């Protein structure tokens, strides 16, 4: 039987961590111990530990699922990261994760780690919907299930806002300096959004704590990028082939990675620059570029591709007509961005197309299609609104919007039925209860509260375009709509 990967595994030098993980203490508590964290921040931290050392290993916290704990626990936190380029793949074993806990049945261990004097950074990748941001993005939503529960029992938090507020209060009581909070999700000005939500949350339970947090805690913004599909049996087989060990936590990713971080860490940080993280004073332009060009075209191609029978992003890029719409979308998104010194947006777009086409990455369109109401505002509607204000062509954004509406409406005429994985699925169901035609659907979905900027929602030219494209998607097929779009 193949032995299980662990701290005792005898690995070739080219694969093993280039340092002794046990020599380094924990300095980071990371909430959201999923594939993206394992491929991104943990890999950067692994390199930083090898190059510059420091007590910066990571304790990973899962909010609900016990999977990471079950996979990483028996492996002493070790796992194989397989980085794929079109030319080949390279495995390395990451030693940066010191342990994992699951907060589903009680957050005592997570809170103890966050309140420990050694913890200097609390970082997060929990996906957009887990934060409980309100629809104006200025505070928290007290009706969000985790926020509501934590407002009722703030001493036993289950959600991210409750955990951060409680841990900050415990540190304050113990006379410890606060940790730095680093949000690593795909949200515009992610640090500021999280800051607003956490302080609003604290305000509702303890105004004095809220004032302390507003004064003492810092929330640097950052832009994260690394395409990381969900792991499969093939991932685990490849890890075993390259390392000689069975690894239940093996993770696939692309060879590209990017991390642009606002350099504001009063309690210090790992030497992430040694792994090519870029430290800047203003992350916002990088974040807009990535959200609008990469994530925006990802969402567009996910809805159009899934309904055209294209299961993977690389299949979309091999479909001439849809690949052309991906490039068109990137160009339209680029036109909404301010110039960014040192970055050529045409090159960025070509590089994105190459990354999307990576033959070794099996990234499912259905995975990206998840949580549309959480993603569409920053990826599609906000750039569309900017394009509208500049009098630019809105057609690429109308196509992306119609493709999302076709997905959200679940009219099952040209594809098998599927589950609408969206936190607002029941709102959508209610809004569409009496919607029979494309015009009804476009009207109902564009009027969902807090989704589209008002100006865009009232722009009849935009809505007419959306309706016309949606009508074709519904009455004919997605493939027909993609072809017709190419002829525009
Ligand atoms: C994707 C992102 O699932 C999605 O919505 O657009 O996860 C994307 O792969 C990453 O942001 C790439 O950095």
């Amino acid at each position: 039987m193949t032995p299980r990967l662990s701290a005792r595994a005898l690995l070739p030098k080219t694969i093993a961590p280039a340092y002794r993980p046990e020599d380094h203490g924990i300095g980071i508590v990371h909430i959201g111990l999923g594939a993206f964290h394992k491929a991104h921040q943990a890999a950067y931290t692994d390199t930083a530990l090898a190059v510059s050392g420091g007590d910066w290993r990571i304790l990973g916290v899962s909010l609900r699922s016990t999977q990471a704990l079950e996979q990483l626990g028996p492996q002493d936190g070790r796992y194989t990261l397989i980085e794929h380029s079109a030319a080949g793949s390279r495995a390395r074993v990451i030693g940066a994760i010191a342990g994992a806990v699951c907060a589903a049945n009680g957050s005592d261990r997570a809170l103890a780690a966050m309140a420990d004097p050694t913890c200097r950074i609390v970082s997060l990748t929990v996906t957009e919907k887990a934060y409980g941001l309100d629809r104006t993005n200025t505070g928290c939503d007290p009706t969000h299930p985790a926020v509501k529960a934590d407002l009722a029992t703030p001493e036993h938090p289950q959600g991210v806002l409750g955990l951060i507020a409680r841990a900050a209060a415990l540190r304050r009581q113990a006379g410890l300096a606060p940790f730095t909070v680093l949000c690593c999700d795909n949200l515009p000005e992610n640090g500021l959004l999280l800051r607003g939500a956490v302080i609003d949350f604290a305000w509702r339970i303890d105004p004095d704590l809220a004032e302390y947090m507003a004064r003492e805690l810092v929330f640097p913004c950052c832009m994260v990028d690394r395409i990381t599909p969900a792991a499969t049996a093939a991932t685990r087989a490849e890890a075993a082939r390259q390392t000689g060990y069975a690894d239940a936590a093996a993770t696939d990713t692309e060879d590209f990675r990017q991390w642009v971080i606002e350099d504001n860490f009063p309690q210090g940080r790992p030497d992430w620059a040694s792994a090519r993280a870029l430290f800047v004073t203003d992350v916002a332009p990088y974040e807009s570029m990535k959200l609008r060009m990469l994530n925006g075209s990802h969402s567009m191609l996910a809805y159009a591709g899934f309904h055209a029978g294209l299961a993977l992003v690389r299949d979309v890029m091999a479909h001439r007509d849809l690949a052309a719409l991906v490039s068109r979308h990137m160009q339209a998104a680029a036109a909404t961005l301010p110039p960014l010194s040192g970055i050529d947006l045409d090159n960025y777009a070509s590089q994105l197309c190459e990354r999307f086409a990576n033959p070794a990455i099996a990234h499912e369109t259905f995975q990206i299609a998840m949580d549309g109401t959480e993603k569409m505002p920053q990826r599609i509607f906000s750039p569309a609104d900017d394009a509208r204000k500049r009098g630019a062509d809105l057609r690429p954004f109308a196509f992306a919007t119609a493709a999302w509406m076709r997905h959200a409406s679940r009219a099952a005429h040209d594809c098998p039925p599927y589950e609408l994985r969206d936190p607002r699925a029941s709102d959508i169901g209610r809004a569409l209860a009496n919607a029979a035609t494309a015009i009804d659907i476009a009207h109902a979905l564009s009027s969902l509260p807090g989704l589209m900027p008002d100006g865009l929602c009232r722009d009849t030219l935009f809505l007419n375009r959306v309706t016309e494209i949606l009508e074709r998607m519904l009455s004919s097929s997605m493939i027909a709509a993609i072809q017709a779009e190419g002829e525009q």
Side-chain angles (χ1 to χ4, degrees):
M1 215 177 77
T2 320
R4 186 97 180 244
L5 181 66
S6 73
R8 288 166 304 287
L10 295 170
L11 296 160
K13 261 200 154 137
T14 48
I15 289 183
Y19 61 102
R20 274 179 38 94
E22 292 69 24
D23 292 347
H24 302 268
I26 292 173
I28 300 174
V29 175
H30 181 81
I31 306 176
L33 186 48
F36 183 76
H37 173 73
K38 285 171 21 196
H40 192 266
Q41 185 184 336
Y44 275 90
T45 307
D46 198 65
T47 301
L49 287 166
V51 175
S52 303
D55 288 331
W56 288 115
R57 286 179 87 211
I58 302 166
L59 180 85
V61 177
S62 298
L63 288 176
R64 282 189 309 274
S65 164
T66 53
Q67 196 189 51
L69 176 62
E70 283 155 12
Q71 292 176 343
L72 287 167
Q75 300 183 182
D76 306 312
R78 302 285 200 282
Y79 62 95
T80 317
L81 183 64
I82 311 169
E83 300 172 323
H84 298 275
S85 71
S89 68
R90 170 184 173 255
R92 63 191 265 211
V93 166
I94 303 287
I97 296 187
V101 302
C102 175
N105 298 320
S107 50
D108 291 357
R109 286 196 58 203
L111 278 174
M114 292 164 82
D116 193 274
T118 58
C119 171
R120 282 153 291 155
I121 296 175
V122 169
S123 55
L124 308 97
T125 45
V126 289
T127 79
E128 301 87 339
K129 63 176 176 275
Y131 286 98
L133 302 170
D134 73 359
R135 297 216 194 294
T136 61
N137 279 346
T138 51
C140 69
D141 170 9
T143 67
H144 180 279
V147 177
K148 192 170 171 188
D150 290 356
L151 285 172
T153 52
E155 268 108 67
H156 303 287
Q158 295 164 12
V160 292
L161 305 185
L163 278 168
I164 295 171
R166 180 70 187 148
L170 292 172
R171 293 185 80 92
R172 184 188 184 201
Q173 278 161 24
L176 295 170
F179 41 64
T180 302
V181 185
L182 183 63
C183 173
C184 298
D185 274 293
N186 287 314
L187 287 159
E189 311 218 286
N190 48 11
L192 293 180
L193 288 189
L194 179 54
R195 178 179 194 275
V198 171
I199 289 172
D200 181 24
F201 175 89
W203 188 260
R204 292 163 192 262
I205 52 169
D206 178 353
D208 187 49
L209 174 66
E211 266 174 34
Y212 160 81
M213 290 176 70
R215 208 174 47 241
E216 302 289 336
L217 264 69
V218 299
F219 296 74
C221 292
C222 75
M223 177 268 250
V224 294
D225 189 8
R226 194 163 215 190
I227 292 173
T228 307
T232 63
T235 317
R236 292 180 282 279
E238 179 62 14
R241 197 185 67 73
Q242 293 210 31
T243 64
Y245 288 89
D247 179 356
T251 303
D252 275 317
T253 193
E254 60 177 339
D255 58 340
F256 179 92
R257 62 172 192 278
Q258 195 175 20
W259 199 6
V260 184
I261 315 172
E262 179 186 339
D263 201 0
N264 187 7
F265 293 82
Q267 310 306 324
R269 57 166 171 79
D271 179 16
W272 286 318
S274 64
R276 296 198 318 273
L278 179 65
F279 285 92
V280 299
T281 44
D282 185 11
V283 174
Y286 296 91
E287 186 72 59
S288 302
M289 173 183 83
K290 195 250 169 175
L291 277 172
R292 293 178 175 199
M293 291 182 69
L294 188 160
N295 298 112
S297 55
H298 242 184
S299 287
M300 182 282 274
L301 74 81
Y303 297 118
F306 178 70
H307 290 273
L310 302 167
L312 303 176
V313 176
R314 67 184 189 214
D315 303 337
V316 167
M317 300 313 283
H319 185 283
R320 210 194 48 205
D321 294 336
L322 187 48
L325 295 185
V326 171
S327 293
R328 180 185 77 162
H329 190 91
M330 285 178 192
Q331 259 182 30
T336 69
L337 298 169
L340 190 50
S341 117
I343 301 227
D344 175 335
L345 294 179
D346 289 336
N347 283 348
Y348 182 66
S350 319
Q351 189 186 35
L352 289 180
C353 289
E354 265 173 44
R355 292 171 61 197
F356 288 1
N358 187 334
I361 295 286
H363 199 188
E364 290 193 356
T365 47
F366 190 57
Q367 182 187 338
I368 302 169
M370 188 164 62
D371 296 344
T373 56
E374 295 281 334
K375 295 175 177 175
M376 292 295 281
Q378 58 276 18
R379 297 180 178 201
I380 305 291
F381 303 145
S382 162
D385 199 39
D386 286 350
R388 180 187 67 78
K389 289 179 191 148
R390 294 171 51 247
D393 180 16
L394 294 184
R395 186 142 198 135
F397 301 106
F399 181 81
T401 305
W404 167 68
M405 288 182 172
R406 191 262 172 267
H407 186 75
S409 71
R410 288 206 293 170
H413 65 98
D414 68 346
C415 71
Y418 52 92
E419 185 197 348
L420 180 62
R421 300 186 297 175
D422 191 295
R424 293 183 78 184
S426 41
D427 279 3
I428 292 176
R430 267 192 302 277
L432 293 180
N434 300 312
T437 61
I439 193 161
D440 296 341
I441 295 173
H443 188 262
L445 292 181
S446 57
S447 317
L448 281 177
L451 204 63
M452 277 191 193
D454 287 348
L456 189 65
C457 206
R458 282 196 305 267
D459 188 302
T460 43
L461 208 66
F462 177 70
L463 278 192
N464 288 347
R465 283 254 181 287
V466 171
T467 308
E468 169 211 324
I469 300 169
L470 180 61
E471 163 61 27
R472 192 170 293 124
M473 290 173 181
L474 294 174
S475 62
S476 193
S477 67
M478 184 56 87
I479 292 278
I482 291 168
Q483 272 163 0
E485 201 56 25
E487 286 154 17
Q488 289 305 314

